[in-house]
Amino acid sequence: GAVVSQHPSRVICKSGTSVKIECRSLDFQATTMFWYRQFPKQSLMLMATSNEGSKATYEQGVEKDKFLINHASLTLSTLTVTSAHPEDSSFYICSAREAWQETQYFGPGTRLLVL
Amino acid sequence: QQQVKQSPQSLIVQKGGIPIINCAYENTAFDYFPWYQQFPGKGPALLIAIRPDVSEKKEGRFTISFNKSAKQFSLHIMDSQPGDSATYFCAASKRDTGNQFYFGTGTSLTVIP
């Protein structure tokens, strides 16, 4: 149980284009989903928290107009990187949590490379 | 400000050894402490978690020791195997911030055959 999927697993795009990453909870209802960014050999950096049906809460320094988050259902959240630039290249990981639970279950991550 | 401090940064042990990874925190409001294992290019996977009302929790070869007064907790891996070679992250959370996780900086473990 508690499986979270992400799609795509890897994406390469040209600078200036937008990329959408999907995060799905496969066997539970995720009232809250989190989006993280991870640089090589570093810890996970929380970008934003999204509750189903509400606007996402972004961490300080994360541009909400650049990283658009939608959490329209209890099993799906999407992160759209708009007008991507090479400095946006990174490993993006989502996690999901059920209501009233502390545990976060992580997706396998999406490797984004912006050329 | 790093809310959770993790050490060591890297660790090398022989197969069968018992690596110990330590984490410390300052905020006494934290009430949930999970450990995650991450392999290269993969997402973190939950290993084991503890709440502050117990001092030790064991699941298979993984044990968490928790010292509430010292505000420290540690992960012990019994009979370590080469397949345990991965990066390990501790984390802490509290309910009043929506259970947001504060992660440690990670420990890269290598188990030599």
Side-chain angles (χ1 to χ4, degrees), chain B residues 19-31:
Chain B
I20 301 173
I21 304 170
N22 301 298
C23 285
Y25 63 97
E26 286 298 324
N27 193 333
T28 55
F30 286 141
D31 55 12

Side-chain angles (χ1 to χ4, degrees), chain A residues 38 43 97 102-104 106-107, chain B residues 32 36 38 51 95 98 104:
Chain A
Q38 187 178 36
S43 189
R97 178 171 65 84
E102 298 104 330
T103 302
Q104 291 182 31
F106 285 83
Chain B
Y32 181 70
Y36 285 84
Q38 186 179 30
R51 291 187 172 83
R95 287 190 178 88

Side-chain angles (χ1 to χ4, degrees), chain B residues 16-75:
Chain B
I18 305 176
I20 301 173
I21 304 170
N22 301 298
C23 285
Y25 63 97
E26 286 298 324
N27 193 333
T28 55
F30 286 141
D31 55 12
Y32 181 70
F33 303 88
W35 284 91
Y36 285 84
Q37 178 190 58
Q38 186 179 30
F39 293 104
K42 305 294 183 183
L46 178 67
L47 270 179
I48 187 172
I50 198 168
R51 291 187 172 83
D53 53 344
V54 298
S55 60
E56 185 174 283
K57 184 174 181 181
K58 184 175 182 179
E59 286 186 7
R61 295 185 294 110
F62 301 96
T63 300
I64 298 180
S65 296
F66 188 85
N67 186 330
K68 189 174 181 178
S69 60
K71 293 183 285 187
Q72 295 176 349
F73 57 110
S74 59
L75 176 70

Side-chain angles (χ1 to χ4, degrees), chain A residues 7-19:
Chain A
H7 179 80
S9 58
R10 300 172 64 94
V11 57
I12 301 173
C13 68
K14 292 182 179 180
S15 185
T17 61
S18 294
V19 174

